[in-house]
Amino acid sequence: MPDVIIPGPAGRIEGKYTPGKAENAPVALILHAHPRGGGHMDTPVSLMMYEVFKQRGFAVLRFNFRGVGRSQGVYEQGLGELSDGATALDWMQAHNANAPYCWVAGHSFGAWIGMQLLMRRPEIAGFISVSPPTNMYDFTFLAPCPASGLVAHGEADVIVPHDDMEKVMSKVRAQKGIDIKRQIIPGAGHLFSNHVEPLQTAIDDYLDIRLVELDNPKPKISKR
């Protein structure tokens, strides 16, 4: 798990990177929670998602947004952090030119950034959004959502109540054939303290199904 320094729009971006197990491995980008709320690339949720994709053979990168850890710059209300995410994804793709597709996985603020990347980058084939802050940020940009993914939320989340997430995400339009699965993790709060294991199980179960679909796409039936 080598340390990497990526040239970013606000200076260096500090990250951790593991190459894929195959030359044509897919890539995954992990996005941490809010920099002002103690979020960084080594929180339990970020580490868990990193390991999940690593164990599945992905080339995987997690990094600190600007102003966190050894990443240069200062917090910029999401605009700069979105630029950091795009730069990190560019770096991943430059090092994995044969990757067939990409996933983004984010926690809270990182989920919001990840879903914005999803709308801008057609190579992103799937997403994991943990505790998306639907009561803090506007998610209407998902119009329509271009890729299937999992939204996992804590039942006992008092920062972003799961009812609020359900209300917002249930209204998100998706392209034809795209499905946004929503799963509530019993007893879990916003940070998933003492509930990382059931969250990991939910993510693994979802990936077991989705990755088979991506790696074995159904043939298109031609119309005559």
Side-chain angles (χ1 to χ4, degrees), residues 67-91:
V68 178
R70 293 191 296 149
S71 290
Q72 294 177 315
V74 294
Y75 173 65
E76 289 193 20
Q77 308 290 332
L79 290 175
E81 289 75 17
L82 178 58
S83 183
D84 292 343
T87 299
L89 185 54
D90 288 341
W91 185 92

Side-chain angles (χ1 to χ4, degrees), residues 34-115:
H34 204 294
R36 293 285 179 87
H40 55 81
M41 67 177 176
D42 292 324
T43 58
V45 172
S46 292
L47 279 171
M48 177 272 289
M49 293 194 294
Y50 183 93
E51 288 297 323
V52 163
F53 283 99
K54 174 184 169 182
Q55 292 303 317
R56 290 174 180 269
F58 280 63
V60 57
L61 171 71
R62 69 183 195 272
F63 70 93
N64 280 327
F65 287 121
R66 58 186 61 198
V68 178
R70 293 191 296 149
S71 290
Q72 294 177 315
V74 294
Y75 173 65
E76 289 193 20
Q77 308 290 332
L79 290 175
E81 289 75 17
L82 178 58
S83 183
D84 292 343
T87 299
L89 185 54
D90 288 341
W91 185 92
M92 284 277 282
Q93 291 179 317
H95 286 76
N96 297 274
N98 296 320
Y101 53 80
C102 171
W103 279 67
V104 290
H107 179 204
S108 191
F109 175 84
W112 179 57
I113 297 294
M115 297 189 89

Side-chain angles (χ1 to χ4, degrees), residues 88-170:
L89 185 54
D90 288 341
W91 185 92
M92 284 277 282
Q93 291 179 317
H95 286 76
N96 297 274
N98 296 320
Y101 53 80
C102 171
W103 279 67
V104 290
H107 179 204
S108 191
F109 175 84
W112 179 57
I113 297 294
M115 297 189 89
Q116 290 182 76
L117 280 174
L118 177 74
M119 295 300 295
R120 290 165 167 78
R121 304 293 285 261
E123 67 271 28
I124 297 176
F127 67 89
I128 305 293
S129 288
V130 177
S131 305
T134 51
N135 61 345
M136 301 176 189
Y137 299 100
D138 185 6
F139 279 77
T140 57
F141 61 82
L142 293 166
C145 184
S148 296
L150 172 68
V151 175
H153 213 88
E155 178 190 38
D157 190 335
V158 296
I159 296 174
V160 185
H162 72 270
D163 286 348
D164 187 277
M165 180 278 295
E166 288 281 0
K167 181 171 63 177
V168 172
M169 297 308 297
S170 65

